[in-house]
Every structure is written in structure tokens, then in C-alpha cells.
Amino acid sequence: MSVINQMNEKLANMIAAGEVVERPASIIKELVENSIDAFATNINILVIDNGLREIKVIDNGIGMSSVDAKKAFLRHATSKITTEYDLERIKTLGFRGEALAAILSVSKVTIKTRQENGNAYYASFVDSKVIDEGNTSLNIGTEITINSLFYNTPARLKYLKSEFSERAAIIDTFDRLALSNPNIRFSLTIDDKLVKETYGNNDYYSLISQIYGQGILKDMKYFEEEFAKIKVKGYLASPSLARSRRKDITIFVNGRYIKNYTLTQAIVDGYHSFLMNNKYPLAILIIEMDPVLLDVNVHPQKLEVKFSNESLLRFQIESIIKKTLTTFKHDIPQNLSMFDKKETTEKYIKESLDFTYNDELPFKVSNDIKEEKTLGELNINKIPEMEYVGTLASTYLLFQNENGMYMVDQHAAEERINYEYYYDVIGNPQIIVREMFIPRKLSLTTNDLSNLKKHIELFKEYGFMFDDELNLVTHPTFVLDKDLDLMIDEMLVMINEKGTIILSEILDQLAKDKSCKASIKASDKISRTEIDELIKKLRLAKNPYTCPHGRPTIILLTHYEIERMFKRVVS
Ligand code: ADP
Ligand code: MG
């Protein structure tokens, strides 16, 4: 008995829809990409109820004939490619001919369209069938309205993330589309409120300030280079604007926003020595190359591409970025990251919590000293009393006592102290609110600020209050003053990803951040009082001998060792 049936068109489209249009933001992406392919110079996006009630995209592109307006919704219907030859040389954003068919299968659609010298025509579809059509009035271009999204796929509806993350995804999508097309005017209206708008005047600087906010501009650098007929340009934000998420690295290839691990990594590596661990840059990379060298047909959402010369790209991009970053004159702490990035913070945390006193203590200077008697006599459970002698290279604090000379790595020590501070708070996150002396302006992008505004009540629950200009006016005492920006950035990332705040996770992240941040103090000169304070706090630490990454905070060179080095004793 034959059990295999060929699916009907509608079912096949619904399955394809799962890949192409998983959420409102992906519908907006597909519709706007069609408008861009239709040479529109003005694209307006209107969204109601995060796109679930309505998504409308209006463009002033070339429009369609009434025949094509219906044909466009058939599966595999496209005007963009006809032969296999074309598939290897894709210059348009679309080419698979499945987006409109997929969208139609999961929503109710109305299209209005008009070509130059043609009449305006409209058609409405329900359950993928035309229920109404005829003449209408419209300027040249196309207007597509999507209603009742996912009305017939309740499972999909259920899997949509929180309201907030759908809205955030819509805004991200808008940002990327706008950033990749500086010559097109875009606007985004959500629930009848104009949320974002770009001018389409081909000026990248004004575009960036419209997308990220005016404040970011002064901290961005432009670069432009060409190699092997590949043009690479972009904008790099100063490392001082480091972010907690990778997604502020935006890559475009031939006008298409893509996700590409290798190139993202090339950018992160380019920034490597300028950033703390776990921090990512804000960067825009724009690549233009012969489409033959690119396979865009590897992902239904066309978000991934394959480069035929990926290693060359990777190498070149990393070095261009390094070169560009050295032109940032101010506030670049060079070589911040003293540890190997590959070691994950989780591992550091685990190591430092698992740390037990054993013969691996850093007091062991070398193997042959292990049997040395004085070491055995040391009370190694606490940092001994010792006298400050001086500081070496503004980095190592030197002390002496009857055992010999101690060197304390001031940064490692500070990391340990900071780390334990926040780790302790995790167990006991009491929210006592402190009012700020002067309201504090935070270094956030316009998106961050609007998210902040939206969740102002949630922030209040944790003791963060803001004035009308979104300057910080109160904060919980457990967050140190210097960590406020970092903490708020982490909170926004979590709201974005999880829709809420889980304080213990935020504090854990902060503990991790802090354990890295101490290294910013590389070669900082610290005063005598600060030195005493540092040692006092280190004494109180649970695991004073290593930084959270497992490097020693203190090393002892015993008198015996020193004498042996000077060959006063032979053994
Ligand atoms: P693809 O973009 O891969 O060709 P779509 O399903 O997204 O597939 O669109 C099908 C076709 O409909 C396009 O090839 C194009 O001819 C036409 N089309 C869609 N949207 C527009 C628009 N806004 N303006 C003009 N033509 C459009
Ligand atoms: Mg398309």
C-alpha cells in the first residue's frame, strides 16, 4: 500500500513559511527587500500590535501589473532570476520567489500596486484565495498589508517571544535595512507613532546618528580599503563603547545584511586587545564584491552567505580593523586583555570557586623549591604581614618580610576583590536605594534609551530611577558607582533577550565583567593609601591567591631563592 502523498500547494507553503517568516520582523524584512529590489526610494513601514494585527509596507517602487500582482503570490514566482546562470550572479535581495507565497499562507493579505502609465489595482486574499479585487487609487508603487498574522498556525503564534522581544526584533530589522541603504528614505511607525525615520540622503554619518543616536558619532571612525577587487568600508565605534552583545556588529555584503561567524570573529579579533573579555564592539562592515564570488542561496532567509575567499577576507578585515583602531587617540586602553580569550569566563568562575588550598599555591616559585623548608613553615592560609618596598613598572607591588620578597599583581588582586564583592552580593541582593548627588548621563544608544523608557517601571523595582531626560537619579547601593553603566547595559541586554530581569544572573554577569574590568587599570599608578586598602581587602578575600582567571595575585621569592640566584648558596 502506498503511504506517500505529494503535499498540496497550501501545506507546502505553510511548511516553507516556517523557515522564511518565523516572526513579524522577518515579514517586514521580506516585504522591504522586495521594495528595495523594486527600486523604491521611499519606504514606509507601519506596524500595529507588534505586527500581529497589521504590517503595512508602502513603497514608491516600479509597481506591478494586475496579472503580476496575483502571480507574485505563487510559490517559486519571481521576476529576479530565470536561469541557473542568474543564480550564480545574484544582485537583488530576493530571488527564491517564496516570500510572498509563504506570507500569504499564514496571514490575510491585501496588495495595492500601480506601475508608471498604469492603473492602480488591488486584490485581497484570505486562506490564500482572492476574495476581492478591482481598481483603486494609488501613487506609483506598491502597498502590501498583512493582517491576522499566524491566524491559522496557532503553534507559531505561541512560540513568538515576549511582546517586547518582537518589538525589539522589528526595530533591529528596521535598523539593518536602513543602514544598508543610505540612499533610501525609511520610516517606521508602530501603533500610530513614528518611531524611526531616515533621510535617504546618502549620508552615512547622518544615517548612523538617526539609527544609533547623535552621541555615538563622535566616537566612530570610518575606514575604506580595497583588495583583490573587494571593497571593504565601514564604521568602527571606539572601544569605550563596548557592548555586551554581538549583535551590534553589523555586516552587509552587496547591500544584504548577513550573519557570518567568521567575519564577526575577524572584527572581534581586530578589537581583541582593545576590549575587555565578553565585550563586543559596535561596528558596521560593508563589503562590495563580485556576486560570482558569493553563494547567497544557503539559507531560506538569505541571512547566510558563503564566500569563496573567506580566509582572505577574514585576514584582511582583522588587520584593517586593528589599523583603524590605532587612530583612536583618546581613551583607548591598549592591551587590556591580558588573558587568552579562548578560555571562557565560565571556566574562570568554576576554577576560582573550586579553588582549594593545595600545593599548587602560587607561593611555589619553582619546582625545586617545593622541598624548601621555610615554605613549609609559612602560614599560607592568609596573606602574611609584610612591608611595602616599592612598585615595579606601575604594576607589581613589592613587599618584604622574613620570608623574602612578595610581588603582588595589583590588577589581578583588584580583579579578585571585585569579583568576590559581586559574587557575595548575588547571595544577598538587598535593594537599598541611594540618591545620586548629580543625575548621571548614561552612555546609551537611542535604541537603548527607548528600551529603557519602556521598562522604566522594571528598573524602578531594582532601585534604578531616572529623570525626564533619562539621566540616572537613584541606584541600589550594591552597584558601585563606577559600574552603573555596565549594570544598566547588562539589564537592557537581559530584558531584550529574556523579556525580564533575573537579578542573580545579572549580578553573575557583572561579577564576570568586573573580574575582567580590573585589568583596565594596567599600569595605573596607585597611591600608598590605595595600596594599603588593596592589601587589606585582599586579606579578606576568600581566595586571595588567584585572580578569577586562575592567575596568581601574589608571588613569593624566598630569601633562599634569591640567594641561590646570586649563587650565595649552592644546592
Ligand atoms: P522574490 O523576491 O524572491 O522574487 P517574493 O515572493 O518576495 O520573491 O516576490 C515575488 C515577486 O513579486 C518578485 O520577484 C517581484 O517581481 C514581485 N514583487 C514583490 N514585491 C514587490 C514590490 N514591492 N514592488 C514590485 N514588485 C514586487
Ligand atoms: Mg522577495
Side-chain angles (χ1 to χ4, degrees):
M1 190 182 73
S2 164
V3 288
I4 301 178
N5 300 310
Q6 203 165 4
M7 286 180 197
N8 66 33
E9 178 83 5
K10 186 167 174 229
L11 185 59
N13 281 342
M14 280 173 88
I15 289 171
E19 292 167 345
V20 185
V21 289
E22 52 175 359
R23 63 199 303 188
S26 33
I27 295 199
I28 293 174
K29 170 181 175 286
E30 293 295 338
L31 294 177
V32 172
E33 287 191 347
N34 281 343
S35 302
I36 296 169
D37 284 343
F39 309 103
T41 56
N42 188 356
I43 301 174
N44 297 298
I45 304 155
L46 299 97
V47 170
I48 298 177
D49 195 10
N50 294 311
L52 293 178
R53 180 120 60 90
E54 186 169 297
I55 296 170
K56 194 193 286 280
V57 174
I58 307 168
D59 71 48
N60 66 348
I62 55 171
M64 280 174 267
S65 69
S66 56
V67 176
D68 277 355
K70 279 194 283 188
K71 243 199 212 166
F73 289 90
L74 298 175
R75 189 136 184 240
H76 310 307
T78 179
S79 57
K80 296 169 195 174
I81 58 171
T82 40
T83 64
E84 287 154 39
Y85 178 89
D86 300 335
L87 186 58
E88 314 237 296
R89 290 158 182 80
I90 303 281
K91 293 207 180 71
T92 48
L93 295 170
F95 57 89
R96 297 170 59 104
E98 57 186 4
L100 290 184
I103 294 170
L104 187 68
S105 73
V106 292
S107 66
K108 301 173 183 171
V109 177
T110 298
I111 179 168
K112 291 184 184 177
T113 185
R114 189 181 138 202
Q115 290 180 308
E116 206 178 347
N117 307 323
N119 293 326
Y121 163 84
Y122 83 96
S124 293
F125 302 79
V126 172
D127 289 335
S128 302
K129 290 190 206 70
V130 179
I131 53 153
D132 193 11
E133 63 181 312
N135 290 333
T136 181
S137 63
L138 190 79
N139 290 330
I140 294 170
T142 302
E143 174 186 309
I144 296 187
T145 312
I146 311 298
N147 291 108
S148 314
L149 183 58
F150 300 134
Y151 75 104
N152 54 354
T153 52
R156 166 72 51 185
L157 206 53
K158 214 167 78 199
Y159 280 106
L160 287 184
K161 307 231 173 73
S162 71
E163 224 175 275
F164 178 72
S165 20
E166 294 310 325
R167 183 188 158 98
I170 290 171
I171 292 177
D172 279 347
T173 301
F174 177 88
D175 288 353
R176 287 170 193 147
L177 289 162
L179 276 175
S180 56
N181 296 281
N183 51 342
I184 299 178
R185 181 198 164 268
F186 289 92
S187 75
L188 173 66
T189 305
I190 300 181
D191 298 332
D192 294 325
K193 252 177 54 198
L194 180 67
V195 175
K196 284 202 164 186
E197 189 178 16
T198 68
Y199 301 136
N201 59 358
N202 227 345
D203 173 16
Y204 237 102
Y205 272 97
S206 74
L207 183 57
I208 288 174
S209 73
Q210 280 146 1
I211 298 293
Y212 290 114
Q214 198 77 43
I216 299 288
L217 270 185
K218 64 177 187 347
D219 289 321
M220 292 204 88
K221 277 264 147 65
Y222 176 72
F223 66 90
E224 190 180 320
E225 244 173 74
E226 193 171 333
F227 52 88
K229 293 203 178 136
I230 302 173
K231 269 196 205 137
V232 180
K233 58 182 180 177
Y235 296 81
L236 303 179
S238 152
S240 61
L241 291 174
R243 330 274 292 157
S244 303
R245 58 212 139 175
R246 256 169 206 270
K247 82 176 172 50
D248 287 314
I249 296 176
T250 314
I251 305 174
F252 301 111
V253 179
N254 294 350
R256 181 191 304 280
Y257 166 76
I258 57 155
K259 287 185 181 163
N260 183 288
Y261 181 79
T262 309
L263 297 190
T264 304
Q265 205 49 45
I267 297 174
V268 173
D269 289 347
Y271 269 87
H272 174 63
S273 53
F274 300 98
L275 287 177
M276 283 187 272
N277 275 0
N278 294 321
K279 289 287 157 208
Y280 298 99
L282 191 154
I284 301 167
L285 176 66
I286 301 160
I287 303 173
E288 275 160 41
M289 62 198 289
D290 188 335
V292 173
L293 299 173
L294 204 63
D295 185 358
V296 287
N297 191 22
V298 287
H299 188 269
Q301 295 181 16
K302 300 157 287 173
L303 280 170
E304 281 162 30
V305 297
K306 267 212 198 92
F307 295 99
S308 56
N309 43 8
E310 194 164 82
S311 14
L312 170 73
L313 267 175
R314 191 203 151 104
F315 174 79
Q316 291 283 5
I317 287 167
E318 186 179 333
S319 53
I320 293 172
I321 288 184
K322 281 193 179 131
K323 203 166 71 190
T324 312
L325 288 178
T326 51
T327 64
F328 274 105
K329 296 227 169 38
H330 343 277
D331 71 25
I332 296 213
Q334 298 273 345
N335 260 329
L336 282 190
S337 188
M338 307 199 281
F339 346 101
D340 185 359
K341 279 232 166 178
K342 287 189 188 87
E343 277 181 87
T344 66
T345 317
E346 276 71 23
K347 190 165 152 246
Y348 306 149
I349 303 281
K350 190 162 180 308
E351 274 173 1
S352 71
L353 292 180
D354 285 354
F355 189 87
T356 44
Y357 302 107
N358 57 27
D359 59 1
E360 293 299 321
L361 273 174
F363 283 105
K364 185 190 68 174
V365 175
S366 66
N367 271 336
D368 34 277
I369 215 90
K370 203 169 178 181
E371 270 76 52
E372 221 271 313
K373 204 163 159 276
T374 49
L375 196 71
E377 287 163 6
L378 282 175
N379 174 9
I380 55 169
N381 279 327
K382 68 174 190 358
I383 306 272
E385 287 301 322
M386 49 196 191
E387 179 199 346
Y388 174 68
V389 184
T391 299
L392 179 68
S394 305
T395 302
Y396 304 104
L397 310 173
L398 309 180
F399 299 86
Q400 64 173 348
N401 71 6
E402 66 282 8
N403 300 315
M405 184 174 77
Y406 295 85
M407 289 200 256
V408 173
D409 178 332
Q410 65 183 39
H411 320 298
E414 202 191 332
E415 277 180 323
R416 163 54 61 191
I417 294 163
N418 278 329
Y419 175 76
E420 289 198 3
Y421 173 79
Y422 278 104
Y423 216 87
D424 268 359
V425 173
I426 296 170
N428 186 24
Q430 277 182 345
I431 299 174
I432 302 164
V433 174
R434 176 189 298 148
E435 202 162 324
M436 317 249 338
F437 200 54
I438 309 165
R440 176 176 175 136
K441 190 164 169 47
L442 299 163
S443 55
L444 295 172
T445 63
T446 29
N447 265 356
D448 290 338
L449 287 171
S450 80
N451 293 342
L452 182 67
K453 205 165 173 181
K454 204 158 183 293
H455 292 273
I456 211 122
E457 284 304 311
L458 193 55
F459 276 92
K460 200 169 159 188
E461 269 177 48
Y462 293 97
F464 294 92
M465 286 192 261
F466 301 87
D467 65 13
D468 292 345
E469 267 108 56
L470 294 180
N471 298 315
L472 188 65
V473 288
T474 72
H475 69 88
T477 48
F478 67 73
V479 186
L480 301 179
D481 208 59
K482 60 181 166 44
D483 304 332
L484 285 168
D485 289 76
L486 199 60
M487 175 82 182
I488 287 168
D489 183 38
E490 292 297 355
M491 289 170 86
L492 284 167
V493 170
M494 180 168 281
I495 293 177
N496 206 353
E497 284 166 3
K498 307 205 165 157
T500 184
I501 290 173
I502 304 161
L503 194 59
S504 60
E505 282 183 25
I506 294 267
L507 290 172
D508 182 52
Q509 188 56 46
L510 202 61
K512 290 174 187 171
D513 284 349
K514 286 313 296 177
S515 60
C516 299
K517 201 171 182 186
S519 62
I520 279 184
K521 296 241 158 64
S523 72
D524 261 9
K525 284 209 172 54
I526 58 174
S527 72
R528 189 53 213 279
T529 337
E530 286 171 312
I531 292 170
D532 292 345
E533 189 65 14
L534 189 75
I535 299 301
K536 203 167 102 196
K537 285 188 182 152
L538 192 61
R539 279 214 175 87
L540 294 173
K542 289 198 194 83
N543 295 323
Y545 300 109
T546 54
C547 79
H549 313 87
R551 291 182 302 108
T553 54
I554 179 165
I555 281 175
L556 166 64
L557 219 52
T558 61
H559 289 305
Y560 176 82
E561 255 273 313
I562 294 168
E563 295 198 336
R564 223 177 44 143
M565 286 195 273
F566 285 105
K567 308 261 186 255
R568 284 167 170 264
V569 291
V570 204
S571 67

